[in-house]
Amino acid sequence: MSNPSILILPGDGIGPEVMAEVKKVISWYGAKRDVQFDVSEDLVGGSAYDAHGTPLHDDTMAKAQEVDAVLLGAVGGPKYDALDFSVKPERGLLRLRKEMDLYSNLRPAQCFDALADFSSLKKDVVAGLDIMIVRELTSGIYFGEPRGIIEEGNERVGINTQRYTESEIDRVARSAFELAMRRGKKLCSMEKANVMESGILWREVVTEVGKDYPEVELSHMYADAGAMQLCRWPKQFDVIVTDNLFGDLLSDAAAMLTGSLGMLPSASLGAPMANGRPKALYEPVHGSAPDIAGQGKANPIACILSFAMSLRYSFDMGAEADRLEAAVEKVLADGVRTADLLGEEGVTPVTTSEMGDAIVSALDASL
Ligand code: NAD
């Protein structure tokens, strides 16, 4: 069987800096665990625009469709702010998500014990938190028609349409149930079935899909109550599945329970390919951080944890994903901190590269 393939798209700003640390981790797996990946690398975002006049070259798009997983750093930056909307760096990322049809967006909210003090919530509310929000990514109100701003009488009206087909709900629900099966076997579906027809259909379809997963304990919650519960006692949840709009809000809120933006990974998954692996894009939640780019200050952990997600969800290497997450946890427990994680007095921050080296050393120690 051929080696699993990864396309690396470092992007702009701190993207290449954090991706350099992921490359160290990938090399470690090759050298120490004999896990070989076929790695290729290409441009996306502003760097692709500089080279080709487009934020995603057709050849890069074609490569992304062929590989087992795409790993992306970040795109964007002030240099590109004045560009026409059609060639802005973000369009490269949106094209990847759209053409790969990545309908299931996984956003973990995990709080490492060593960082529990960074949360705005009380330590005992967040310490040990490990939940996963699955957000539908390709439909709903951000895409529904009709949309626009129209004239009506003597004023303007802004219109967006929430629209979900049964099949769209079915596929994202299935991906959430599959995920719940690999985790704590608990799934909470969130919508507004009390006031939205799309919410009524959402609840019906999720309930129906649930019959195929009798081991998973399914519950339903109105999304506004869900937001409240996420702040009150987030550890009651294991996996949450919700639509595009509510998922956008709930995943950002949940992510912030855990501290720095530099810690948050994500995965976007699509339909299974011929080899059974889902189409997949892994990326940190953060952007290109132009304010710290080129200074060696970026925290590479979000990007490294995104690679850990690829081990788990694309390559069926859950034990190796555990090993990598444990290495990150150990480094944090040892007090190693990039500048974004400073809180305690007298701690000198390490550079991006030193954080990567520390994680590789912790991987060594795990053998
Ligand atoms: P940002 O995430 O780039 O930065 C927000 C703040 O968090 C900054 O102070 C930054 O220094 C800090 N930060 C972010 N990642 C960090 C890390 N790994 N380590 C330490 N600190 C980190 O968001 P922004 O400033 O709103 O956007 C900057 C650019 O990134 C814009 O061009 C925006 O369009 C783009 N962006 C891209 C993505 C993406 O590629 N997925 C996501 C969001 C924003």
Side-chain angles (χ1 to χ4, degrees), residues 184-248:
K185 297 201 169 86
K186 262 176 72 180
L187 177 64
C188 182
S189 171
M190 295 189 186
E191 28 56 17
K192 290 277 288 176
N194 49 343
V195 284
M196 295 169 76
E197 284 76 5
S198 59
I200 295 173
L201 185 67
W202 182 280
R203 190 176 282 218
E204 281 176 15
V205 174
V206 172
T207 304
E208 198 54 37
V209 173
K211 292 180 183 159
D212 292 340
Y213 298 89
E215 285 175 60
V216 176
E217 182 195 319
L218 173 65
S219 60
H220 302 273
M221 205 177 268
Y222 298 138
D224 48 348
M228 233 161 58
Q229 291 299 329
L230 267 174
C231 300
R232 193 186 68 84
W233 191 243
K235 287 187 225 174
Q236 70 186 281
F237 298 110
D238 175 21
V239 180
I240 293 171
V241 64
T242 188
D243 74 11
N244 202 342
L245 173 63
F246 295 140
D248 197 1

Side-chain angles (χ1 to χ4, degrees), residues 14 74-77 90 93 261-262 283 286-292 298-299 340:
I14 62 167
V75 295
E90 291 75 8
L93 178 53
L261 205 48
E283 55 177 326
H286 63 71
S288 59
D291 53 335
I292 56 165
N299 183 350
D340 56 309

Side-chain angles (χ1 to χ4, degrees), residues 12 43-57 80:
D12 311 319
L43 302 172
V44 69
S47 58
Y49 178 81
D50 289 341
H52 306 301
T54 168
L56 189 74
H57 196 279
Y80 308 104

Side-chain angles (χ1 to χ4, degrees), residues 161-181:
T161 303
Q162 166 84 334
R163 188 191 138 88
Y164 270 107
T165 64
E166 285 183 283
S167 54
E168 286 168 342
I169 302 169
D170 183 285
R171 64 184 189 173
V172 73
R174 266 176 215 288
S175 89
F177 275 106
E178 291 290 337
L179 201 63
M181 286 294 289

